[in-house]
Amino acid sequence: MRGPLQRVGERANQCVACLLELAWEDEAVPTASAERFDHYQVATHTDGTPVELGRGAMGITFKAFDPVLGNEVALKVIDARIAAHSEVRERFLREARAAARLRHSNVASVFYYGTRKSDGQCFYAMELVEGATVEARLRAPAEPPPFDL
């Protein structure tokens, strides 16, 4: 049985859900400083900004390259503003482990979990699935069914 978590810092009185809500704020979010996570290299646009695939409550997903295996991956990185909290890092690891156990053609496979040595930033690499996001598909106008004569 675990004992109570001791929280420190300016947000010590906030619950985990409140900390996760920080990811939804519109302010600029600091991302990776070196744009490299272990051997994974985050892809960048021509202006040098990282190629962001999505953003959620716990982190940001970037397009990246695995030079060891020679393929593109999706790299989910925990939001830097909440990563200092151990309970959030533990939840992120549980998320990665749960996703890694899933085997289905409609679910991206998780390949690797790591913590960047330079700053402790947690991340995991998963299969890159090209195409529109679920959000974009849901927002797109519905196409009428095909009409056969």
Side-chain angles (χ1 to χ4, degrees):
M1 185 171 193
R2 287 191 203 186
L5 295 173
Q6 180 181 8
R7 299 177 190 201
V8 295
E10 67 181 76
R11 300 190 192 281
N13 61 342
Q14 290 182 304
C15 69
V16 173
C18 296
L19 293 170
L20 292 174
E21 284 183 16
L22 291 172
W24 293 106
E25 294 178 0
D26 289 334
E27 68 185 61
V29 177
T31 59
S33 56
E35 304 306 346
R36 184 176 283 279
F37 292 84
D38 286 358
H39 65 282
Y40 297 99
Q41 178 65 47
V42 174
T44 56
H45 295 286
T46 54
D47 66 359
T49 59
V51 177
E52 187 175 310
L53 300 174
R55 185 179 290 259
M58 291 194 74
I60 304 168
T61 303
F62 298 104
K63 186 174 187 176
F65 184 71
D66 179 347
V68 174
L69 298 177
N71 61 333
E72 292 180 322
V73 299
L75 196 68
K76 186 167 185 178
V77 180
I78 194 168
D79 189 313
R81 295 177 295 171
I82 61 173
H85 302 278
S86 63
E87 62 267 27
V88 176
R89 289 191 311 274
E90 289 170 14
R91 186 173 181 171
F92 190 72
L93 176 57
R94 283 194 308 271
E95 175 186 305
R97 285 178 174 162
R101 287 185 195 108
L102 296 174
R103 295 289 181 260
H104 190 277
S105 59
N106 294 337
V107 177
S109 297
V110 172
F111 304 134
Y112 182 85
Y113 178 88
T115 303
R116 191 163 57 176
K117 291 167 184 50
S118 62
D119 61 3
Q121 191 83 10
C122 300
F123 65 94
Y124 62 88
M126 59 189 151
E127 175 184 10
L128 177 65
V129 179
E130 298 286 353
T133 64
V134 172
E135 179 181 8
R137 293 193 65 174
L138 290 173
R139 291 179 187 257
E143 292 187 28
F147 183 68
D148 289 338
L149 292 175

